[in-house]
Amino acid sequence: MNQPDLLSYDLPTIEKMLAEALRHAREGDLLFLAGSPLASCQIIERWYIGDRPHGSAELGRAVQALLWWLIERIRPHGERHWLALPWRQYNVLAGFYAEGLRIADLAEAMGVVEQTIYPIRNQAIQSLAKLLIEELQHPSPSIPNHAIIALYPQLTAAEQTLARMLAFIQQPLAQRWLERWLELNAIAEPTFQQLAEHGLLKPNGLALVEKLRPFLHNQISAAERRRWHQQLAELLQHNEPLPAIQHWLHAQAYDQAASLIIAEHQTIVDNLQGRALGEMLAQIQAHDIQQAQLWFRLKLVSGDVAMTMNDVQTALGEYQAALAANEPLLKAEAYYKRGKAFRSQSTMEAQAHFNYSLAIVERAAPNDPLRYRVCLEQAWMWFQDQRDFEQAQASLEQAAALIDPLDRGAWAELANARGMFYAHRGEHAEAINQHQAAWLAANEVNHSLLMTHIAHNLGYDYLDLGHYAQALDYFEQSLNLANRTGNRRMQGLCQKSIGACCFWMQELVLAVEHYLAAYQIFAAMHNHNWQANTCYDLAEAYAELGQTQLMRHYYAEAIQLAQASGLDRLLNELHSLAENYPGLYPPSIELNERQQQIFDYLKQHPSITNRDYRELTQISPKQAARDLNDLVERNVLVRSGDGRSTSYQLPQSKQNLL
């Protein structure tokens, strides 16, 4: 019989059921209690350890414990009083059933005649029945498992410690770490077997029965909890940095947490855990950190994590906080990173930050590598963002003058930048020469991250030349390196580039397969910039395949992401894409039902006025103006004339697409 069946009984029947159960509980008849309907109600599981009782005796004891618990629920607060009226119901039930007193003894203790005891008992059992029904309907979440409460004091010290340790673990812990952690706390392997024999472990023998956790977790002292967090942080930090950081935070060891974040943040982000890392960073406040400079380094990392999420404004704020650092090189790096963040918004602002960063480094540490890093970043900005090749050439020469010829890693970075400089100028042969030189230098120092980027850049050099087999070979080399190092961002970029190569080879189905793999990675990273660009690729590929619905879906998503992220260049490319594939226009951006009617009208007329639109939709002049202005702002329509002569047309490039 299950809980709904028990609730289907009326109150008098449940009262009778409880009276019989109490009588047999007084006599110790566990077999009868195990067969009682009470034994099958849902809340009874709180009174035994496992998921199911091991026999009738255990189940009978659970029912007996349930009865005693119900009796305790009607006990008044304070010290027990035999003569006070509020205590009568409790005294009768507890005294007669749980303590085994006779009716005559109860009457004497309570100062009443024996005949008075029976109606009090009936009223008390009715109170128990109401409590039971309430508990069945609305189980109390805070009630611990009563069997473990009774068993825990009987366990050995080692068994108690192991039980607490297993309750302490909130997330599954690999067996090798669990074994090393047990060694640190002098817990021998046989203790597991002993807990299993008590029924405290799940069938796999390594995890605690879940319903025992609340009670055991409360047995852990604050000092023990802090010590265990520190132990697990030290065990995990070299292999599983994110859980280790969380343990350092729980131990309130904020300097250790900050140091580990600074050391491992790139690996964590590459493993698609950037959002979780951001949440941990938010838990650390300036007053938590003992070393002031550590706090400013942490702000730089916070900015880097925000940039991976394409959250430029947050990144700028974090880098701004790092500008307060007293250490010159920290301040210079904050200016450098803030300049990089400004690249997408304002070249002038970015250049001002780069110049100030250089000025600080030149005064404080002229030989610091940050100088050439700033110059290289300036070069990338000039040829990639502004297509100012003269300025870019000057920055590359400045960087070359600062690099130690024996520093092959730095030289590889310079050659890679030079390669991209020539690629943007369309000088593909020289781009390949520079990238090949960069590849050799990066291999020489085994710089895996740089090798991944250089191989990818070589792939694009050959793709621009139409040498698809060679391009594909380098993209796959880059992807293999990214897979080996767990660099998720580069995995996404390589999948996107392989898709582009397949697209130009007219292997469209394979192109879509790789584009979708890239899309999933960028979406998981919350990198809206690359996600939007991949949506463009998918829209184009599906357009070539003639799959209009999917084409429109990804085009609409690309427009939405590009607008939200301020990607003006991509928006222009998307409008050009619509010119090449008429099925993409009218635009797939979200329009209201009224605005959609405009395109039907424009199929028959060269333009539409506010009045025309009102007659179509029966709306007010103000609402019509709002709708039309919205389409103008989104580059869907263009406005001509003024005043009453104002009309709206499709852009010239779109007029033949309807």
Side-chain angles (χ1 to χ4, degrees):
M1 189 178 297
N2 55 27
Q3 178 183 332
D5 291 333
L6 190 60
L7 282 172
S8 68
Y9 294 123
D10 57 20
L11 183 62
T13 303
I14 294 178
E15 290 173 21
K16 182 179 179 181
M17 191 185 302
L18 284 170
E20 290 180 350
L22 284 166
R23 178 165 59 83
H24 287 276
R26 185 177 193 271
E27 297 168 359
D29 187 351
L30 300 180
L31 186 60
F32 176 89
L33 295 177
S36 166
L38 295 172
S40 59
C41 69
Q42 185 177 349
I43 62 171
I44 199 68
E45 67 174 353
R46 295 170 178 165
W47 279 271
Y48 51 81
I49 288 176
D51 294 331
R52 293 185 179 86
H54 295 300
S56 296
E58 183 181 3
L59 186 53
R61 280 192 291 271
V63 175
Q64 188 179 54
L66 169 62
L67 294 171
W68 301 160
W69 176 75
L70 286 170
I71 291 172
E72 286 301 308
R73 289 283 300 275
I74 66 170
R75 176 187 176 121
H77 294 294
E79 187 177 351
R80 188 173 184 179
H81 198 297
W82 284 96
L83 301 178
L85 288 176
W87 283 86
R88 281 191 170 185
Q89 288 190 16
Y90 174 79
N91 286 333
V92 168
L93 293 186
F96 184 72
Y97 293 111
E99 298 163 11
L101 298 177
R102 297 178 306 161
I103 294 294
D105 297 332
L106 278 174
E108 183 178 352
M110 295 170 61
V112 297
V113 297
E114 291 184 24
Q115 288 79 0
T116 308
I117 297 296
Y118 299 104
I120 295 174
R121 180 177 64 181
N122 293 339
Q123 292 169 2
I125 291 174
Q126 186 179 64
S127 297
L128 293 194
K130 291 178 180 178
L131 279 172
L132 178 59
I133 291 171
E134 180 184 348
E135 188 63 30
L136 290 170
Q137 292 174 334
H138 308 288
S140 306
S142 60
I143 300 174
N145 179 269
H146 286 255
I148 189 62
I149 294 173
L151 177 62
Y152 183 76
Q154 303 173 34
L155 300 177
T156 65
E159 290 170 347
Q160 289 181 352
T161 301
L162 178 56
R164 293 196 305 276
M165 291 175 75
L166 294 177
F168 175 81
I169 302 171
Q170 298 299 312
Q171 300 295 330
L173 192 63
Q175 187 168 351
R176 59 173 176 157
W177 303 126
L178 180 59
E179 290 173 354
R180 291 180 62 182
W181 188 38
L182 294 174
E183 288 175 11
L184 289 174
N185 292 277
I187 301 296
E189 187 174 341
T191 312
F192 266 105
Q193 182 60 36
Q194 293 160 11
L195 284 191
E197 290 172 358
H198 289 298
L200 304 185
L201 301 183
K202 291 181 180 178
N204 64 14
L206 294 175
L208 192 69
V209 172
E210 196 62 32
K211 64 183 176 182
L212 309 181
R213 187 180 299 277
F215 169 78
L216 291 169
H217 202 270
N218 287 334
Q219 306 308 306
I220 305 171
S221 69
E224 192 171 50
R225 194 182 305 275
R226 189 161 45 250
R227 183 174 73 253
W228 287 346
H229 278 304
Q230 290 174 351
Q231 289 175 347
L232 287 172
E234 291 169 354
L235 282 174
L236 297 172
Q237 62 184 357
H238 298 299
N239 299 88
E240 299 182 33
L242 196 67
I245 292 164
Q246 190 66 73
H247 282 296
W248 282 128
L249 291 174
H250 284 314
Q252 297 182 339
Y254 296 108
D255 281 34
Q256 290 90 332
S259 297
L260 188 55
I261 288 172
I262 292 166
E264 299 291 343
H265 72 277
Q266 191 59 57
T267 300
I268 293 170
V269 168
D270 287 342
N271 288 331
L272 301 187
Q273 297 171 313
R275 187 168 293 275
L277 180 59
E279 291 171 358
M280 292 181 187
L281 282 162
Q283 296 177 41
I284 306 175
Q285 304 300 317
H287 58 77
D288 295 325
I289 301 295
Q290 300 302 310
Q291 305 174 49
Q293 301 312 308
L294 192 61
W295 169 251
F296 297 122
R297 290 193 179 279
L298 199 63
K299 291 288 96 181
L300 292 177
V301 169
S302 295
D304 293 347
V305 172
M307 285 297 291
T308 66
M309 302 295 175
N310 209 38
D311 186 353
V312 176
Q313 290 308 120
T314 297
L316 287 170
E318 296 298 286
Y319 295 145
Q320 175 75 36
L323 292 177
N326 293 324
E327 185 180 324
L329 288 180
L330 265 179
K331 188 187 290 286
E333 187 164 4
Y335 274 108
Y336 163 65
K337 288 180 178 289
R338 207 158 186 265
K340 289 179 67 175
F342 267 121
R343 270 185 57 183
S344 63
Q345 297 183 355
S346 167
T347 303
M348 291 181 62
E349 192 80 40
Q351 186 62 35
H353 279 73
F354 289 145
N355 289 339
Y356 203 73
S357 177
L358 281 174
I360 295 173
V361 179
E362 287 167 358
R363 289 197 305 270
N367 297 322
D368 192 90
L370 182 58
R371 282 186 73 193
Y372 85 78
R373 285 167 52 206
V374 175
C375 292
L376 279 183
E377 190 64 34
Q378 287 177 309
W380 282 93
M381 178 184 68
W382 290 124
F383 70 71
Q384 197 170 51
D385 301 341
Q386 301 298 310
R387 303 193 68 80
D388 186 334
F389 296 109
E390 185 177 345
Q391 289 275 19
Q393 181 72 53
S395 294
L396 286 170
E397 290 173 359
Q398 189 177 359
L402 294 168
I403 291 175
D404 181 349
L406 299 179
D407 187 343
R408 297 293 285 161
W411 197 90
E413 289 184 81
L414 174 63
N416 182 49
R418 281 173 168 165
M420 292 305 296
F421 168 79
Y422 287 112
H424 278 74
R425 285 178 53 166
E427 300 177 31
H428 301 298
E430 187 58 32
I432 289 172
N433 287 337
Q434 291 292 332
H435 281 142
Q436 289 286 8
W439 174 256
L440 292 175
N443 270 274
E444 188 178 324
V445 293
N446 196 28
H447 194 322
S448 298
L449 178 61
L450 189 54
M451 288 163 61
T452 307
H453 285 278
I454 295 169
H456 185 264
N457 292 340
L458 275 164
Y460 258 104
D461 291 338
Y462 285 108
L463 182 63
D464 287 340
L465 289 171
H467 299 168
Y468 301 128
Q470 289 168 290
L472 199 56
D473 179 61
Y474 276 109
F475 287 145
E476 288 174 347
Q477 284 190 60
S478 181
L479 179 59
N480 289 335
L481 285 164
N483 289 337
R484 191 186 311 163
T485 57
N487 188 330
R488 293 292 283 163
R489 179 177 176 275
M490 283 306 300
Q491 286 173 352
L493 287 176
C494 290
Q495 291 285 5
K496 183 179 184 300
S497 299
I498 292 171
C501 202
C502 294
F503 179 88
W504 289 108
M505 294 168 70
Q506 287 299 297
E507 297 180 11
L508 299 176
V509 174
L510 193 56
V512 165
E513 181 181 323
H514 288 287
Y515 286 151
L516 286 173
Y519 173 87
Q520 290 167 0
I521 290 172
F522 294 137
M525 293 181 70
H526 304 280
N527 190 321
H528 295 160
N529 186 335
W530 283 110
Q531 185 181 347
N533 278 275
T534 308
C535 285
Y536 172 99
D537 294 332
L538 283 163
E540 184 179 39
Y542 280 124
E544 286 287 326
L545 286 167
Q547 298 185 33
T548 307
Q549 186 174 357
L550 287 167
M551 169 187 73
R552 284 179 174 272
H553 169 81
Y554 285 105
Y555 184 84
E557 185 173 345
I559 287 281
Q560 181 182 5
L561 289 170
Q563 288 177 336
S565 302
L567 305 177
D568 293 335
R569 183 184 299 174
L570 179 59
L571 284 170
N572 291 332
E573 292 173 358
L574 284 163
H575 289 311
S576 297
L577 186 65
E579 294 177 13
N580 295 330
Y581 299 98
L584 287 173
Y585 207 89
S588 297
I589 56 178
E590 185 178 350
L591 303 177
N592 63 45
E593 187 176 346
R594 297 187 306 275
Q595 290 172 324
Q596 291 286 357
Q597 295 181 51
I598 292 173
F599 297 99
D600 292 330
Y601 185 90
L602 290 175
K603 288 178 182 178
Q604 307 296 328
H605 304 84
S607 63
I608 189 170
T609 66
N610 184 296
R611 181 174 180 176
D612 296 330
Y613 185 40
R614 296 199 315 269
E615 290 176 355
L616 273 176
T617 57
Q618 300 300 307
I619 59 175
S620 69
K622 287 186 177 179
Q623 183 60 59
R626 281 195 291 268
D627 282 359
L628 291 165
N629 288 337
D630 176 54
L631 293 178
V632 170
E633 289 173 4
R634 292 198 275 176
N635 299 316
V636 175
L637 297 178
V638 293
R639 184 190 293 109
S640 62
D642 53 31
R644 294 185 177 182
S645 300
T646 301
S647 63
Y648 302 84
Q649 302 88 28
L650 292 174
Q652 189 67 35
S653 60
K654 307 294 193 297
Q655 289 180 5
N656 296 322
L657 298 180
L658 285 180

